[in-house]
Amino acid sequence: MRVPIFNDLYDAGSRLLGRAGDLVSGGILEQDVRLGVTGLRRAGKTVFVTSLVDNLLKAGRLPFLDVVSSGRFQASRLRPQPDAQVPRFEVEQRLAELAGPAPHWPTETRGISQLRLSMRYRPNAMLKRTVQPVATLNLDIVDYPGEWLLDLPLLHQSFAEWSALTLELAGRAPRDELSVSWRGWLATIDTAAPAEEEQARRGAALFTDYLHACRRSDNLLSLIQPGRFVEPGDMANAPLLTFCPLPGDRPRTRGSLWALMEDRYEAYKSKVVRRFFAEHFARLDRQIVLIDVLGALNSGPAGMADMKRALELSLEPFRHGSSSWLDWLLGRKIDRVLFAATKADHVASHQHNSLRHLLDRLVSDARAGIRFEGAQVETMAIAALKSTETVVTEHEGRQLRCVRGVPLGRDRPTVLFPGEIPEDADFPPGQERPYNFMAFQPPADLAREARGLPHIRLDQAMQFLLGDYLE
């Protein structure tokens, strides 16, 4: 059994050998960058990856991506991905769902997936142009569930600490109603009694049901841990997922239910969370986190508070900066992180800044307490696929900026006034759900879009995440 510090050294050594192989095989004219794409609930990461790939392949709607606007971009193409053991992101199928005869939002992807897209361009700097007139950037897009990102802080929590935090959260509205069955079971058990497998499985099943109820909740609850309980990937029905938080202090009894649950929690951290960190997260260069802020506003104060806490936890994994002694061994460090409020097309264009400022306030407290030491963090309001347009209408003698699109469940375009983005995350007194931002269907005739899928600020997001690699 390896202790954690030697786990870090072993994993770091493996990554260094992998990077050395990449350097030798890649050639001096090619550079690789790994972009992590994740998102909190219903943020639209499948649509984001699909639109990103389509627009980089066609390059007709990227005026704010400097390599394109300066005329240095030549072409992109899909290439075989470097990690053969990771499922491929099926971008062709997702495009067919969006641009087919009956366009609909793509099927949600489960687990991790990957895609490699190579971009051929002319370097901007004179020295680079002299050495290599044409360069290639291999963009490896790694798409994974947001719950897996929220698992990384577990590496620094004991079973007792995690149990106390999870139980405290489960006892507050709206989670209290969703966790009644599980908390009722907890009240009947003796955590110091000898462990029985059937009892452990019963507790894990009730806890898993509670997490799924949180995920389905109209309150758009975002903080769901452990992530593999709702997105098991290849671990469905694995004994490693049969544990749950327990109340009280740690009993000293060996072989107790507490000891069994604690052992499985530690095994989950070692074999699932640490494995994801070593094999995927620690190899990323850049990261984008997609957030459905409008959905959280619709869900009310509870949903907004839950999202704020989830965003704070999502910043935890980026604490390791250049001052960490492991950074040299790890070989890579995520040095740019973009938090993007998605579905900006669901509100009129003049409110996009308000949407971004609201997201900025949601992450500001956590960001202020973290020394990124060279890492850049940005917020942005985007729409990976623009499904509405802003129009001006007159109502009771005043002009209103509205959106026009086809709402979900309808069959014809409708002009709607979506409401105003609030200045902060506070809600008017006595109004639990004063917001009702609607969802829209994908636009028709996307198959004819030879320039790439229409979007809002996708090119600006790419400039922040990739622009320096394309100089």
Side-chain angles (χ1 to χ4, degrees), residues 38-46 108 110 144-148 150 174-175 178 210-224 230-231 289-296 299 303 306-307 310-311 340 342-343 433:
T38 194
L40 302 185
R41 280 196 58 208
R42 305 175 188 171
K45 63 187 179 69
T46 301
E108 183 181 1
R110 303 286 186 180
Y144 65 94
E147 288 86 358
W148 295 11
L150 298 180
R175 291 173 181 261
L178 304 176
Y210 155 63
L211 293 180
H212 278 290
C214 289
R215 206 175 194 218
R216 294 190 302 266
S217 171
D218 291 338
N219 290 285
L220 199 74
L221 299 174
S222 304
L223 181 51
I224 298 174
V230 293
E231 291 289 0
V289 182
L290 307 173
I291 306 111
D292 183 8
V293 177
L294 295 178
S299 67
D306 201 76
M307 174 175 287
L311 287 172
T342 58
K343 307 176 185 179
R433 297 190 179 185

Side-chain angles (χ1 to χ4, degrees), residues 52 195 248:
L52 171 62

Side-chain angles (χ1 to χ4, degrees), residues 11-34:
D11 295 337
S14 300
R15 282 191 292 277
L16 282 175
L17 289 175
R19 293 194 71 205
D22 292 343
L23 185 61
V24 171
S25 62
I28 62 172
L29 297 181
E30 294 193 9
Q31 190 175 13
D32 299 344
V33 57
R34 294 176 69 88

Side-chain angles (χ1 to χ4, degrees), residues 33-297:
V33 57
R34 294 176 69 88
L35 172 65
V37 178
T38 194
L40 302 185
R41 280 196 58 208
R42 305 175 188 171
K45 63 187 179 69
T46 301
V47 176
F48 175 86
V49 175
T50 303
S51 182
L52 171 62
V53 172
D54 187 64
N55 275 282
L56 289 178
L57 287 173
K58 297 174 180 175
R61 294 183 183 270
L62 304 173
F64 290 100
L65 184 58
D66 183 70
V67 71
V68 174
S69 62
S70 63
R72 297 184 292 109
F73 179 82
Q74 291 192 344
S76 294
R77 67 171 181 171
L78 294 173
R79 296 179 65 183
Q81 65 193 62
D83 300 320
Q85 76 279 11
V86 178
R88 181 180 184 272
F89 183 91
E90 298 296 344
V91 66
E92 297 86 359
Q93 179 181 345
R94 306 306 175 219
L95 278 170
E97 291 171 327
L98 284 171
H104 59 278
W105 295 114
T107 305
E108 183 181 1
T109 54
R110 303 286 186 180
I112 194 167
S113 62
Q114 188 184 83
L115 197 70
R116 167 167 281 198
L117 183 142
S118 293
M119 306 169 63
R120 187 67 57 85
Y121 67 100
R122 294 189 301 276
N124 193 30
M126 182 176 297
L127 180 59
K128 283 187 177 181
R129 290 201 304 269
T130 303
V131 175
Q132 47 188 70
V134 178
T136 298
L137 178 67
N138 296 318
L139 174 61
D140 294 320
I141 304 169
V142 182
D143 171 28
Y144 65 94
E147 288 86 358
W148 295 11
L149 175 65
L150 298 180
D151 267 358
L152 293 179
L154 298 181
L155 294 173
H156 305 293
Q157 293 178 345
S158 69
F159 178 66
E161 292 169 336
W162 173 69
S163 291
L165 290 171
T166 304
L167 284 165
E168 192 273 333
L169 188 64
R172 297 203 310 253
R175 291 173 181 261
D176 54 345
E177 295 184 1
L178 304 176
S179 61
V180 167
S181 296
W182 170 55
R183 289 187 296 117
W185 174 84
L186 288 175
T188 68
I189 64 170
D190 179 3
T191 61
E196 297 181 3
E197 180 63 23
E198 186 57 35
Q199 190 178 44
R201 292 178 64 84
R202 176 61 177 164
L206 290 170
F207 178 61
T208 302
D209 289 343
Y210 155 63
L211 293 180
H212 278 290
C214 289
R215 206 175 194 218
R216 294 190 302 266
S217 171
D218 291 338
N219 290 285
L220 199 74
L221 299 174
S222 304
L223 181 51
I224 298 174
Q225 295 172 316
R228 293 285 184 143
F229 279 56
V230 293
E231 291 289 0
D234 58 354
M235 299 191 66
N237 301 316
L240 201 60
L241 303 185
T242 51
F243 66 90
C244 72
L246 295 178
D249 298 326
R250 174 181 180 178
R252 298 181 180 275
T253 311
R254 289 186 178 182
S256 65
L257 180 63
W258 178 286
L260 175 65
M261 296 291 199
E262 183 178 40
D263 287 345
R264 288 182 175 175
Y265 171 78
E266 293 297 332
Y268 180 86
K269 287 164 56 177
S270 176
K271 299 182 182 300
V272 178
V273 183
R274 184 175 293 278
R275 176 184 168 189
F276 169 66
F277 178 86
E279 295 182 1
H280 302 292
F281 188 82
R283 297 171 59 202
L284 298 177
D285 300 295
R286 303 286 162 88
Q287 175 71 58
I288 181 168
V289 182
L290 307 173
I291 306 111
D292 183 8
V293 177
L294 295 178
L297 284 172

